[in-house]
């Protein structure tokens, strides 16, 4: 009941609070002047020059800066709470100054690296807040001789892949398939993509990092210590400081890879194919990643379910066809389904670039600013195969609901070989992860409520099929339905609810590290790691 109540209150506050309820204009003006004066002093920059990096609601550029990286249109309305100040740092000293100048003002300090952030926790709040927008700190430096790259928090995955491609056609990095995802959030939350079975998570290849701590100091791995380095390698950066970037190890990819997409419907073997996929996807050759997309559709005027396998094979087409003819004949993979290309071209293909081999690589440098759609995401993990009649009942439920789709992402391979406490990400031994996904175009409270309820209903329906004690969730698919924190006297208990789902047994270590590095809980959001209360 408490979780439900908090979740409802949280959303009502998001949807209903006007800007004026936060602070009176005169107070906001005083806050802005105080911050500006401090920021100017800390950065040794004249105040007129700071206008390029510090924005109040009266600044003509304020709205454009705010909207640029709002990816969910649900949080891009006139009634959505707005920040009192947006800071867009261009240097580490700017980040340090932003932290030090915000602390005395007692505003919630939101950190946004420019990614997707499904529930908007990096740019909305039910309390007066600032936004630190990291999108200008976006350098990507690739050292092929050393097979490493330094990736700034505000860079996008598209920029990372492009920078690697410029230097080498046989190196890659295991991260997400969407090029506009921001590095800071993606890596600090674990990070995964279509090479997860071959190489594991993004954070499994992080070898150094830099962070600004609560004292405004810039720390690398040696200076921050192994505990904090561990925490920001999958535990979310926003609880511990401001992640500036990561040094990662690049990995070898073959000169030729294969991609394919195959669809099945309920009347052409979809149930059998999805059921069998569970025993193949997580256990097959680790060079093969087969994502399963399941969606209700109308075909020939009949409501049905389409199951689509979208795959990357780190090898040639003949090899994967031979492999799957034995392991997954239900897929009926044919040569005409497969396309051979380079690894970088496969990244373009996964971004729905149909003619990936003819696409200009520079499209990955396009950030698609101020491009948002309405949506909701949730997540689950599956530890034991869903029986065939369970798949049938799932399909029937999805047809009944009508819109929401599922994405199955197989684990196994390298993922299953890494200890659950090696990073804060604990879900190593699961068969696959589920993403619940629904998007809509209409701006209507009634329509929104309907789709949010649809997501909750399917999530509830899946309870008997997914992980238990605790039911697991993926941090980077932020979902306030599973619990939020008001950081009051019950902060630890509130944080434990979602914290156990995201981090399992690793939650306790994260809390201890959080308490040590940020005892005053300056770095916080509605799902951050809580601190332990000091004994009187």
């Amino acid at each position: 009941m408490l979780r439900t109540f908090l979740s409802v209150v949280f959303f009502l506050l998001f949807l209903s609070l006007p800007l004026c309820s936060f602070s009176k204009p005169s107070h906001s003006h005083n806050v802005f002047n105080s911050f500006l004066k401090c920021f100017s002093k800390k950065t040794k920059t004249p105040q007129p020059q700071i206008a390029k990096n510090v924005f109040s609601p009266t600044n003509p550029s304020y709205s454009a800066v705010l909207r640029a990286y709002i990816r969910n249109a649900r949080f891009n309305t006139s009634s959505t709470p707005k920040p009192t100040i947006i800071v867009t740092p261009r240097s580490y000293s700017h980040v340090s100054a932003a932290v030090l100048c915000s602390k005395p003002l007692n505003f919630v300090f939101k950190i946004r690296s420019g990614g997707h952030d499904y529930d908007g926790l990096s740019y909305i709040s039910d309390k007066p807040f600032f936004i630190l927008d990291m999108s200008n700190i976006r350098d990507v430096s690739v050292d092929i001789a050393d097979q490493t790259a330094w990736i700034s928090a505000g860079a996008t995955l598209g920029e990372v892949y492009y920078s690697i491609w410029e230097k080498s056609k046989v190196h890659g990095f295991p991260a997400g398939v969407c090029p506009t995802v921001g590095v800071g959030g993606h890596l600090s939350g674990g990070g995964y993509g279509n090479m997860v079975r071959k190489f594991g998570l993004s954070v499994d290849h992080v070898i150094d990092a830099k962070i600004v701590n609560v004292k405004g100091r810039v720390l690398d791995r040696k200076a921050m210590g192994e505990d904090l380095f561990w925490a920001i390698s999958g535990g979310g950066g926003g609880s511990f400081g401001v992640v500036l970037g990561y040094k990662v190890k690049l990995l070898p990819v073959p000169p030729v890879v294969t991609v394919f997409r195959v669809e099945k419907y309920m009347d052409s073997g979809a149930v059998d194919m999805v059921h069998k996929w569970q025993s193949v996807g997580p256990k097959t050759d680790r060079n093969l990643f087969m994502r399963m997309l399941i969606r209700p559709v109308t075909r020939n005027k009949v409501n049905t379910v389409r199951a689509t396998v979208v795959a990357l094979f780190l090898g040639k087409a003949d090899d994967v066809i031979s492999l799957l003819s034995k392991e997954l004949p239900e897929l009926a993979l044919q040569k005409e389904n497969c396309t051979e290309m380079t690894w970088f071209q496969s990244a373009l293909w996964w971004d729905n670039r149909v003619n990936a081999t003819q696409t200009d690589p520079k499209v990955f440098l396009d950030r698609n600013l101020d491009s948002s759609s309405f949506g909701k995401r949730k997540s689950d993990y599956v530890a034991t195969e869903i029986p065939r009649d369970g798949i049938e009942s799932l399909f029937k439920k999805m047809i009944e609901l009508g819109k929401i789709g599922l994405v199955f992402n197989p684990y196994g391979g390298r993922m299953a070989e890494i200890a659950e406490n090696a990073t804060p990400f604990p879900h190593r031994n699961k068969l696959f992860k589920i993403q619940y996904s629904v998007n809509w175009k209409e701006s209507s409270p009634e329509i929104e409520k309907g789709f949010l309820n649809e997501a909750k209903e399917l999530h509830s329906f899946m309870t008997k099929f997914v992980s238990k004690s605790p039911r697991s969730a993926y941090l980077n698919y932020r979902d306030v339905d599973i619990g939020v924190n008001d950081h009051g006297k019950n902060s630890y208990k509130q944080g434990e609810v979602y914290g156990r789902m995201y981090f399992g047994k690793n939650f306790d270590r994260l809390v201890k590290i959080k308490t040590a590095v940020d005892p005053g809980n300056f770095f916080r959001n509605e799902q951050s790691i809580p601190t332990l209360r000091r004994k009187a």
Side-chain angles (χ1 to χ4, degrees):
M1 284 296 293
L2 178 60
R3 282 187 299 181
T4 304
F5 171 76
L6 285 169
S7 185
V8 170
V9 169
F10 186 62
F11 269 115
L12 287 175
L13 282 164
F14 276 178
L15 295 172
S16 65
L17 274 177
L19 178 63
C20 60
S21 67
F22 281 174
S23 54
K24 295 178 181 178
S26 59
H27 176 64
S28 297
H29 183 70
N30 291 337
V31 166
F32 181 75
N33 285 340
S34 296
F35 181 89
L36 207 62
K37 186 176 179 181
C38 175
F39 195 85
S40 174
K41 183 179 179 181
K42 296 287 185 188
T43 60
K44 297 181 174 60
T45 307
Q47 288 194 22
Q49 292 183 26
I50 295 172
K52 299 175 183 176
N53 305 109
V54 182
F55 302 86
S56 75
T58 60
N59 189 307
S61 300
Y62 171 91
S63 181
V65 172
L66 176 61
R67 291 165 58 100
Y69 294 100
I70 293 178
R71 301 296 189 186
N72 193 335
R74 289 169 53 212
F75 312 120
N76 194 13
T77 69
S78 59
S79 61
T80 304
K82 307 295 191 296
T84 302
I85 295 174
I86 305 171
V87 186
T88 57
R90 295 180 181 273
S91 66
Y92 294 175
S93 63
H94 283 179
V95 177
S96 297
V99 170
L100 293 172
C101 295
S102 297
K103 279 169 62 180
L105 298 173
N106 200 30
F107 277 61
V108 175
F109 189 76
K110 296 280 184 164
I111 306 164
R112 181 169 81 171
S113 68
H116 288 195
D117 191 3
Y118 291 130
D119 268 352
L121 299 193
S122 63
Y123 55 82
I124 53 175
S125 175
D126 62 350
K127 296 180 176 65
F129 69 110
F130 299 162
I131 291 178
L132 183 72
D133 184 310
M134 297 290 288
S135 58
N136 287 327
I137 298 182
R138 60 170 74 176
D139 294 342
V140 179
S141 177
V142 175
D143 184 342
I144 288 299
D146 195 34
Q147 297 188 80
T148 62
W150 173 259
I151 308 172
S152 297
T156 64
L157 295 183
E159 290 164 350
V160 173
Y161 297 155
Y162 180 85
S163 298
I164 296 170
W165 172 83
E166 278 190 309
K167 297 290 182 69
S168 169
K169 306 303 183 271
V170 290
H171 285 85
F173 185 69
V177 300
C178 187
T180 54
V181 167
V183 164
H186 188 67
L187 265 67
S188 71
Y192 86 99
N194 55 20
M195 295 197 292
V196 67
R197 303 190 63 254
K198 175 73 171 181
F199 295 121
L201 300 174
S202 304
V203 289
D204 296 332
H205 306 279
V206 170
I207 54 180
D208 202 351
K210 287 185 179 177
I211 189 171
V212 170
N213 71 0
V214 72
K215 296 179 181 178
R217 292 180 57 206
V218 177
L219 307 175
D220 61 7
R221 179 174 183 172
K222 183 177 180 181
M224 75 177 78
E226 288 303 299
D227 273 348
L228 182 51
F229 178 74
W230 177 86
I232 63 169
S233 300
S239 294
F240 306 96
V242 182
V243 173
L244 298 168
Y246 292 94
K247 186 178 182 180
V248 302
K249 197 73 179 172
L250 301 180
L251 298 164
V253 293
V256 176
V257 305
T258 302
V259 297
F260 65 83
R261 178 189 297 266
V262 177
E263 296 178 350
K264 297 287 183 183
Y265 294 85
M266 289 178 70
D267 62 358
S268 60
V271 173
D272 289 333
M273 192 262 285
V274 172
H275 179 239
K276 180 71 173 293
W277 173 92
Q278 296 177 100
S279 62
V280 178
K283 298 173 184 175
T284 188
D285 185 329
R286 66 184 59 196
N287 288 300
L288 176 59
F289 177 87
M290 293 188 290
R291 169 174 282 180
M292 178 73 73
L293 309 176
I294 304 173
R295 185 165 296 280
V297 295
T298 301
R299 188 173 185 238
N300 299 326
K301 299 182 180 180
V302 175
N303 292 331
T304 184
V305 168
R306 180 180 65 213
T308 308
V309 171
V310 185
L312 170 70
F313 179 66
L314 298 172
K316 296 190 175 180
D318 287 343
D319 294 332
V320 73
I321 292 167
S322 175
L323 175 70
L324 290 178
S325 67
K326 302 183 186 74
E327 294 189 352
L328 193 59
E330 294 83 355
L331 187 64
L333 182 66
Q334 304 296 318
K335 183 83 174 209
E336 57 264 28
N337 303 131
C338 300
T339 308
E340 293 182 339
M341 56 184 65
T342 68
W343 176 78
F344 181 81
Q345 288 169 341
S346 79
L348 292 167
W349 184 87
W350 274 77
D351 187 41
N352 297 316
R353 308 284 176 172
V354 179
N355 299 313
T357 56
Q358 281 83 47
T359 302
D360 185 345
K362 288 185 178 178
V363 299
F364 266 10
L365 303 181
D366 183 358
R367 292 184 162 226
N368 296 316
L369 300 182
D370 196 9
S371 57
S372 61
S373 61
F374 298 89
K376 176 63 182 177
R377 302 291 186 272
K378 299 176 76 66
S379 60
D380 259 320
Y381 285 90
V382 174
T384 57
E385 291 177 25
I386 302 171
R388 189 184 186 283
D389 61 356
I391 300 294
E392 286 185 316
S393 67
L394 169 61
F395 281 18
K396 290 176 183 175
K397 185 65 177 178
M398 294 179 75
I399 291 171
E400 173 194 321
L401 292 171
K403 176 76 173 180
I404 189 163
L406 298 177
V407 184
F408 292 180
N409 294 287
Y411 282 2
R414 180 61 182 150
M415 279 291 278
E417 298 170 351
I418 300 172
E420 291 184 12
N421 62 357
T423 69
F425 179 96
H427 317 295
R428 301 283 186 171
N429 291 312
K430 302 297 189 288
L431 291 177
F432 58 96
K433 172 170 59 184
I434 299 176
Q435 183 189 73
Y436 301 74
S437 174
V438 63
N439 295 313
W440 62 96
K441 296 179 180 178
E442 305 87 352
S443 177
S444 158
E446 293 77 20
I447 291 172
E448 177 171 311
K449 182 180 179 181
F451 285 127
L452 294 179
N453 285 339
E454 197 171 308
K456 288 179 182 177
E457 191 170 341
L458 188 58
H459 188 260
S460 177
F461 173 84
M462 291 296 290
T463 302
K464 56 184 174 290
F465 301 125
V466 299
S467 59
K468 299 169 180 65
S469 302
R471 185 173 186 167
S472 300
Y474 178 40
L475 178 69
N476 279 357
Y477 296 166
R478 287 286 196 187
D479 179 10
V480 298
D481 295 344
I482 68 173
V484 294
N485 201 327
D486 64 9
H487 300 288
K489 64 179 181 179
N490 295 318
S491 176
Y492 177 81
K493 287 186 176 180
Q494 291 175 356
E496 192 175 25
V497 174
Y498 56 80
R500 296 276 178 213
M501 296 180 75
Y502 288 140
F503 306 114
K505 294 177 182 177
N506 294 328
F507 175 71
D508 299 307
R509 185 179 175 191
L510 288 169
V511 171
K512 289 178 182 176
I513 296 167
K514 165 70 173 179
T515 305
V517 302
D518 183 23
N521 198 24
F522 173 72
F523 295 110
R524 64 188 185 275
N525 61 51
E526 290 77 7
Q527 286 193 338
S528 57
I529 302 296
T531 56
L532 289 169
R533 290 176 65 85
R534 294 176 179 174
K535 295 180 180 178

